[in-house]
Amino acid sequence: MKIAYVYPAFINIGGADKIIISKANYMADRWGYEVFLVTDSQNGLEPFFPLSDKVHLTDLGINFFQQYQYGPLKRLMVYLKLMRKYKKALAKTLAEIRPDVVVSTFSRDAKFVRLYKKFAKAAIAEVHTTKKNIRALPNLRLQGGVYKILAAYIEHQLDTSAKRFDEVVVLNHLEEKLWRPVRRVRVINNAVQYYPEEENKLQAKSVIYVGRAEYEKAPDRLIEVWRRVARRHPDWTLRMFCTGAMLDELKSRVRQYGLEQQVRFMPATKDMEHEYMSSSLCVLTSRFEGFPVVLQEAMGCGVPCVSFNCPSGPRYIIADQEDGFLVEDGNIEAFADKVCLLMEDETLRRQMGRKAKEHMARYAKETIMGQWKDLFERLIQQAEKQNSTDFFGNVEEKSYICRKISDYGRLQAHTLRHFQLQAVEEGEPLLRRQE
């Protein structure tokens, strides 16, 4: 089977990049699928996460990043030009690959669903974030005015595109409810990436944060939390693995609060399992989450987590007060209290850590990937069944039409015989010899 994933670029150290590459590797290495990752703006960079030699990475060389150097009007004109170039290049590539299934990650390519269905047997939209934050539309709405109108237009276009896909896959059941006014969707969770046999003793006085330094991940809220935690537990350290637009602002705020000795900004690493195993707590302060890989990874390593109960993923991973804590979204004081509670109570911390690892077993790769395989095979079977049906429609329709044709034939024969007899009675020859 041939699977083509369409994604902007594998250049981030984020959850979506990790999950897509992990799935591609699994399909190619375990199932023997031909897997193609088609990007538009890779720009010659190697993916951060390891990619199997059996997976094909094809970049179309569009480079959408170039639009950001212009003002709003010029940027729009450049963007539209790049989109035309993108569609043409994508069509050429898909015509060469001829995939059985195209998986769109519901980025700028979502509007090309008709193109996908032209070259593939089935088209799937795979949504990696909450519908409330799709395409970062809240950021656009915050700018007000024409940007708010633009956000509404983009959301309408995405909803329209979603209706045309053969299947839309979301990450949790709240997302299923959010999509319900638009269409029926299917829930498939992310697979847990780390699940070591070794037990985490949770003795290090170290708290880990992993996430982009962007508005939706809200690391600024974490600095406010840590400002309160540090007063009560100055011997604990917060290690932040993050890069992004807000990084300089975060560092400035750490200096402003005098937290340089307790907050460490860590370089990117490919061995995050070791970093989780070196931590005793994990924190997540996001404003929006689909199904946070960070929580799964930490809990799979036996690390209890504290997270804001933001829309919508954390509540489907953390069992509140059993394997971690869910805190009212935005309540900085309550968040700090829960972090301090786990710092102070080693027995509770280890109990929650064991439960966290136990609960992550249900997201084993074999289980989650089995759901994807079932989906691919079902859609292919449906497509092949549809293709085998000719213009007459299904079997019942064909049988009905054939009966009608047969009846019509018999009627014609009967009518012809009637006129032949009438001609004989009137003395007319049935056939006239040609002179």
Side-chain angles (χ1 to χ4, degrees):
M1 186 180 294
K2 289 185 179 181
I3 308 292
Y5 262 90
V6 182
Y7 191 65
F10 294 96
I11 56 177
N12 293 315
I13 315 174
D17 290 43
K18 177 181 284 188
I19 289 296
I20 294 170
I21 287 179
S22 173
K23 287 195 291 189
N25 291 344
Y26 192 100
M27 287 186 278
D29 295 337
R30 298 286 189 92
W31 299 342
Y33 283 9
E34 285 189 77
V35 183
F36 299 82
L37 302 180
V38 182
T39 59
D40 56 61
S41 304
Q42 195 69 29
N43 297 336
L45 299 175
E46 289 294 320
F48 181 80
F49 299 105
L51 190 64
S52 168
D53 293 337
K54 298 178 182 178
V55 176
H56 308 277
L57 177 60
T58 301
D59 184 51
L60 303 180
I62 308 301
N63 187 17
F64 277 96
F65 296 109
Q66 61 185 288
Q67 66 179 298
Y68 298 113
Q69 61 184 302
Y70 302 109
L73 184 58
K74 176 71 172 178
R75 176 181 167 184
L76 176 61
M77 295 173 64
V78 171
Y79 176 77
L80 293 175
K81 181 179 179 181
L82 292 174
M83 282 296 287
R84 289 191 293 271
K85 181 180 177 183
Y86 181 30
K87 185 177 182 180
K88 184 177 180 180
L90 190 56
K92 182 175 183 295
T93 298
L94 293 178
E96 294 170 354
I97 296 173
R98 287 289 174 178
D100 294 296
V101 179
V102 172
V103 183
S104 165
T105 47
F106 219 56
S107 182
R108 60 177 68 94
D109 69 294
K111 59 170 30 175
F112 299 150
V113 58
R114 287 196 177 98
L115 181 70
Y116 296 156
K117 299 180 86 168
K118 176 181 178 181
F119 293 108
K121 295 176 182 176
I124 299 172
E126 180 180 317
V127 185
H128 281 269
T129 187
T130 174
K131 193 174 189 302
K132 294 183 176 181
N133 190 46
I134 201 162
R135 296 293 301 275
L137 292 181
N139 294 357
L140 207 56
R141 293 189 184 98
L142 284 174
Q143 298 180 54
V146 68
Y147 291 102
K148 191 173 182 179
I149 297 172
L150 179 60
Y153 172 75
I154 293 173
E155 184 173 28
H156 172 73
Q157 290 291 100
L158 289 171
D159 287 350
T160 301
S161 295
K163 294 175 183 177
R164 295 174 178 147
F165 280 91
D166 295 301
E167 191 70 86
V168 173
V169 177
V170 298
L171 292 171
N172 62 63
H173 289 288
L174 179 56
E175 292 306 309
E176 183 182 27
K177 293 178 181 177
L178 292 174
W179 277 98
R180 196 169 291 166
V182 179
R183 62 161 294 161
R184 179 187 60 80
V185 300
R186 174 165 178 167
V187 176
I188 301 181
N189 305 134
N190 287 331
V192 65
Q193 299 300 304
Y194 305 133
Y195 201 81
E197 294 183 5
E198 177 188 356
E199 180 185 0
N200 192 332
K201 301 297 184 181
L202 303 178
Q203 293 178 337
K205 293 187 175 183
S206 176
V207 177
I208 189 170
Y209 168 82
V210 183
R212 299 191 313 277
E214 306 287 351
Y215 172 80
E216 62 267 26
K217 298 298 182 181
D220 52 314
R221 302 203 291 188
L222 178 56
I223 300 301
E224 296 303 320
V225 167
W226 199 259
R227 183 185 183 187
R228 291 154 176 79
V229 170
R231 298 186 191 125
R232 296 158 65 177
H233 296 282
D235 52 337
W236 281 71
T237 301
L238 171 64
R239 295 182 305 141
M240 299 185 68
F241 291 84
C242 63
T243 59
M246 296 178 65
L247 187 57
D248 289 341
E249 176 189 337
L250 297 176
K251 291 180 177 180
S252 176
R253 195 172 298 190
V254 165
R255 290 192 296 269
Q256 178 185 343
Y257 294 156
L259 299 173
E260 297 98 320
Q261 300 303 312
Q262 294 172 306
V263 178
R264 296 170 56 194
F265 291 93
M266 308 296 293
T269 175
K270 296 185 178 181
D271 190 8
M272 283 307 303
E273 182 176 327
H274 170 75
E275 302 300 337
Y276 288 119
M277 294 298 290
S278 303
S279 306
S280 294
L281 291 176
C282 177
V283 289
L284 191 72
T285 52
S286 301
R287 292 181 172 90
F288 305 100
E289 285 288 351
F291 202 80
V293 174
V294 171
L295 295 183
Q296 283 186 303
E297 291 178 340
M299 294 169 72
C301 292
V303 181
C305 299
V306 181
S307 171
F308 280 130
N309 191 14
C310 66
S312 60
R315 71 194 70 174
Y316 292 97
I317 300 177
I318 296 175
D320 188 31
Q321 302 185 59
E322 187 175 346
D323 56 18
F325 289 113
L326 288 171
V327 179
E328 177 189 8
D329 195 15
N331 192 331
I332 301 294
E333 297 292 343
F335 198 109
D337 288 342
K338 295 302 184 186
V339 170
C340 290
L341 173 60
L342 287 172
M343 288 177 171
E344 296 159 4
D345 193 334
E346 183 178 349
T347 301
L348 177 63
R349 187 166 73 239
R350 297 187 67 176
Q351 176 185 328
M352 285 189 164
R354 285 192 294 269
K355 281 288 186 182
K357 186 168 185 177
E358 178 185 318
H359 290 170
M360 288 305 101
R362 65 182 179 267
Y363 300 118
K365 282 188 180 181
E366 292 74 15
T367 301
I368 301 301
M369 292 306 296
Q371 295 175 32
W372 277 103
K373 189 172 187 178
D374 290 344
L375 176 59
F376 292 149
E377 291 178 352
R378 175 174 63 81
L379 292 177
I380 292 299
Q381 288 173 1
Q382 288 177 354
E384 290 175 347
K385 181 178 179 181
Q386 181 66 29
N387 290 338
S388 67
T389 304
D390 60 24
F391 69 93
F392 286 129
N394 59 37
V395 174
E396 291 77 8
E397 291 173 339
K398 288 193 289 185
S399 177
Y400 172 79
I401 292 172
C402 287
R403 287 197 303 271
K404 290 300 181 183
I405 291 174
S406 178
D407 291 345
Y408 179 68
R410 285 196 294 271
L411 177 61
Q412 279 190 318
H414 175 76
T415 304
L416 178 60
R417 180 60 179 163
H418 170 75
F419 284 115
Q420 286 175 337
L421 291 174
Q422 186 179 22
V424 170
E425 290 173 358
E426 295 175 357
E428 293 291 335
L430 295 180
L431 295 172
R432 294 185 181 274
R433 181 176 298 180
Q434 298 294 323
E435 297 296 337

